[in-house]
Amino acid sequence: MANKLRLGIPKGSLQDATIALFERAGWRIYANGRSYFPTIDDAEIECMLIRAQEMSRYVEKGVLDAGLTGIDWVVESGLDVESVTSLVYSKQSRQKVRWVLAVPEDSPYQKAEDLAGKVIATELVEVSKRYFAAKNVDVKVEFSWGATEVKPPTLADAIVEVTETGSSLRANRLRIIDTVMESETRLIANRSAYADTWKKHKIDSLALMLNAAISAQGQVGLILNVEKVNLPAVLSVLPALNSPTVSELSDRNWVALNTILEEGVVREVIPRLKAAKATGIVEYPLNKVVL
């Protein structure tokens, strides 16, 4: 369709985090619990909820022009899609997730090579097969339909499972012995769609604004005034994303500084700025940061 981008939103664990990210980027997506076609406040975009595991297939076929999914499922599928940009966010955090090889806590296995001839349960079958093949370890990799953590030691000897914090694995008395791969969310596109001038511009605009929203997370802006004679002392205690913007004030002996800080350090930096004789210190929230 002309001037209409068909966009896949990952259904499942990433759905809420993705919709929240779009809202921070400037798009409101309204998902009805019973519909696979959420509405969006952009007449040029049509959304469809698709499981992340299947996103690459529908993007490659052209059913969707673009979609968000984990790079793990792109690699697992082996399909040919355009990787537009990395978007480092996940269900619980702003960090990459890991697919790890895990075994029961009380098992004798210490490394992948110890699992020769054993059964491995996972959703990430092809990647796991390649992982063991690269180590020349002969194992049987079985597809897991879910609840993978409960399968060792009765239904499998080990698992390859995704984790952010490792808490679920520990709760199920499992021990990580290796990382199979790291993963992050990617905005992917159909190659023909990405070759279309209008769709490429729309997809690239999405990428820009989504990344800007991610960059703003955990950051705040800070403005302050300082007498020029005290400027070196203020700059020495002021960490910044880039060099702070320094502007002349009507009083030529004073300047204004504008900078971006990690939110977690502000409580330490502001007292130090005050001690360096900065005044008029104002902290303000950020919605987007374009790097």
Side-chain angles (χ1 to χ4, degrees), residues 37-220:
F37 298 93
T39 59
I40 184 170
D41 61 347
D42 186 332
E44 296 177 341
I45 298 177
E46 239 178 36
C47 292
M48 184 175 182
L49 289 173
I50 296 288
R51 291 197 65 82
Q53 295 91 326
E54 300 181 289
M55 192 71 72
S56 297
R57 182 197 318 168
Y58 294 114
V59 169
E60 189 200 46
K61 287 181 176 180
V63 176
L64 297 169
D65 297 312
L68 290 88
T69 187
I71 188 61
D72 45 1
W73 299 117
V74 177
V75 174
E76 173 75 2
S77 72
L79 297 173
D80 184 29
V81 295
E82 183 78 32
S83 180
V84 178
T85 190
S86 169
L87 299 166
V88 184
Y89 75 98
S90 53
K91 181 173 61 175
Q92 297 178 9
S93 67
R94 292 186 291 122
Q95 300 177 1
K96 293 182 179 182
V97 298
R98 293 187 300 151
W99 284 89
V100 298
L101 178 61
V103 297
E105 282 180 351
D106 56 0
S107 74
Y109 313 122
Q110 299 298 323
K111 57 186 184 299
E113 288 77 4
D114 296 339
L115 292 163
K118 304 301 182 181
V119 175
I120 315 298
T122 185
E123 287 185 78
L124 203 70
V125 172
E126 297 305 319
V127 169
S128 298
K129 285 180 179 178
R130 290 194 289 269
Y131 165 82
F132 282 103
K135 293 179 175 292
N136 199 28
V137 178
D138 184 24
V139 297
K140 182 179 181 182
V141 179
E142 294 183 344
F143 178 75
S144 172
W145 292 94
T148 308
E149 297 100 325
V150 304
K151 294 187 174 176
T154 306
L155 302 177
D157 299 289
I159 64 172
V160 173
E161 179 66 333
V162 67
T163 183
E164 288 187 47
T165 65
S167 59
S168 179
L169 294 172
R170 289 190 295 271
N172 285 281
R173 301 187 63 199
L174 295 173
R175 169 170 48 88
I176 296 172
I177 61 173
D178 199 8
T179 296
V180 174
M181 77 172 294
E182 287 189 336
S183 183
E184 63 199 22
T185 307
R186 293 279 178 91
L187 175 60
I188 61 173
N190 173 272
R191 292 200 180 276
S192 295
Y194 204 59
D196 177 87
T197 302
W198 184 88
K199 289 182 178 180
K200 183 179 188 305
H201 174 74
K202 190 69 176 179
I203 293 168
D204 287 344
S205 296
L206 275 173
L208 175 69
M209 298 306 290
L210 291 171
N211 273 308
I214 289 172
S215 296
Q217 286 185 273
Q219 308 267 8
V220 295

